Amino acid sequence: MQPTGATPGSPGAPVRKVTVPDIRAARAGGRRLVMLTAYDCPTARLLDEAGVDILLVGDSLANNVLGYDSTLPVTMEEMLHHTRAVVRGVRRALVVGDMPYLSYQTGRRDAIRNAGRFLKEGGAAAVKIEGGRRRAGLVRALIDAEIPVMGHVGLTPQSVHLMGGYRVQGKRRDEVRTLVDDARALEEAGIFALVLEGMPEAAGQAITEAVTVPTIGIGAGRHCTGQVLVFHDLVGLGAGPAPRFARRYADLNEIIGSAARRFIQDVRDGGFPSEAEIYTAPVSAPRAAVARRGPGWRS
Ligand code: KIV
């Protein structure tokens, strides 16, 4: 999974893309995988240049960017729009498109068509679907259609109403056994990696030990092959407190709020724009000459 001939981030240099087989092989190679969500081009570019392995265009787009209060309302069109933006910012990382609610639950034909759109129209290299063994047949059908699939078990946000809220899963022994069986069924069906969300560390460990594909944890403890965080949790952006499992590496709420407050103050005080922030043109310049230069001119 090393870039060839370049460090991630050196502009213009050739970069070897991370592939699905690279991810599958990471575990045997003893490499801890790093995945983050991304929803737009400039953020994807920064995270890619920083060296993340996988960028997930998560259906958490719904809550983190589009202002919905769960992941359920986000549509295929919205997901594709943001996937294309992310792909435009990425040179190295594997981009995975997250199948939104009702894009795959309504039957194989719908699922293949929608998953295929992530690859064909969105430019992603793989898709992620939520659910355990009852998705195994669907995983096979997608792979038959040449679409690599990442699985997702545990706290699956699209099942929020069935779970009765966003509840940690796998607290009881029988629940852990069910999760392990789910993970094995998905592995047998051909997934290349498995997200484990919202479960006690012991459950994350039991699942990781039961399968050979890499597991990527979010609130699933330290024994997973890799870790994923939602970008907004990583950088402290958005409403509400961070979930217990998230580590905040920055406080963008404060940085952005403070920038906006300083700008408001400067405009109201007459301190913005300054001499250095204005264009000047000779007063005698004929209007037509200025107009001909068109938009975006600089002097
Ligand atoms: O949509 C998302 O952000 C996810 C991650 C929590 C894995 O599915």
Side-chain angles (χ1 to χ4, degrees):
M1 235 190 311
Q2 297 307 311
T4 51
T7 331
S10 51
V15 172
R16 184 187 175 281
K17 270 201 175 295
V18 176
T19 65
V20 165
D22 289 335
I23 299 301
R24 196 192 278 276
R27 183 167 175 180
R31 194 177 142 85
R32 290 212 174 105
L33 290 165
V34 183
M35 178 159 99
L36 279 169
T37 65
Y39 316 102
D40 63 64
C41 179
T43 309
R45 181 172 291 128
L46 288 171
L47 302 180
D48 186 54
E49 288 175 0
V52 296
D53 301 309
I54 307 172
L55 284 176
L56 172 70
V57 187
D59 63 350
S60 55
L61 168 72
N63 350 34
N64 290 312
V65 176
L66 300 183
Y68 297 122
D69 61 4
S70 79
T71 59
L72 301 183
V74 73
T75 65
M76 269 303 296
E77 299 312 320
E78 288 166 334
M79 290 299 300
L80 286 174
H81 179 76
H82 286 264
T83 303
R84 284 190 288 266
V86 166
V87 165
R88 285 193 283 268
V90 168
R91 296 170 68 212
R92 175 181 174 272
L94 185 86
V95 177
V96 178
D98 205 4
M99 300 278 290
Y101 179 56
L102 287 194
S103 69
Y104 58 98
Q105 289 92 341
T106 52
R108 286 193 193 173
R109 213 178 145 80
D110 285 353
I112 292 170
R113 191 174 303 281
N114 286 322
R117 292 187 72 194
F118 272 103
L119 273 59
K120 199 176 169 90
E121 299 172 37
V127 298
K128 176 171 82 58
I129 62 174
E130 294 183 8
R133 78 198 83 166
R134 66 183 189 283
R135 303 278 182 246
L138 178 55
V139 169
R140 284 195 193 88
L142 293 174
I143 292 167
D144 280 351
E146 322 303 340
I147 303 166
V149 184
M150 176 181 278
H152 183 164
V153 297
L155 193 171
T156 45
Q158 291 176 18
S159 321
V160 58
H161 296 304
L162 268 183
M163 294 182 301
Y166 298 103
R167 297 186 190 290
V168 171
Q169 303 291 297
K171 283 185 168 174
R172 295 196 320 259
R173 270 201 202 159
D174 60 312
E175 287 175 355
V176 177
R177 271 197 297 275
T178 303
L179 287 171
V180 165
D181 290 347
D182 283 342
R184 284 197 176 125
L186 291 171
E187 165 160 71
E188 216 169 287
I191 56 165
F192 69 93
L194 180 61
V195 170
L196 307 182
E197 178 167 358
M199 60 184 71
E201 183 171 74
Q205 181 171 13
I207 298 170
T208 300
E209 285 172 0
V211 295
T212 60
V213 288
T215 57
I216 305 178
I218 175 159
R222 292 164 289 186
H223 301 284
C224 303
T225 317
Q227 297 288 333
V228 51
L229 281 181
V230 167
F231 171 72
H232 289 60
D233 292 339
L234 179 92
V235 297
L237 180 60
R244 175 190 166 100
F245 57 77
R247 187 177 296 178
R248 291 217 145 145
Y249 288 85
D251 186 355
L252 286 200
N253 280 340
E254 175 48 35
I255 290 171
I256 294 172
S258 150
R261 285 190 297 274
R262 283 163 47 217
F263 177 60
I264 291 165
Q265 188 76 46
D266 286 350
V267 172
R268 291 191 178 144
D269 292 351
F272 179 86
S274 70
E275 181 86 33
E277 290 153 338
I278 57 169
Y279 293 115
T280 53
V283 257
S284 57
R287 278 170 183 274
V290 174
R292 262 202 309 275
R293 289 164 139 175
W297 63 275
R298 291 168 196 276
S299 61

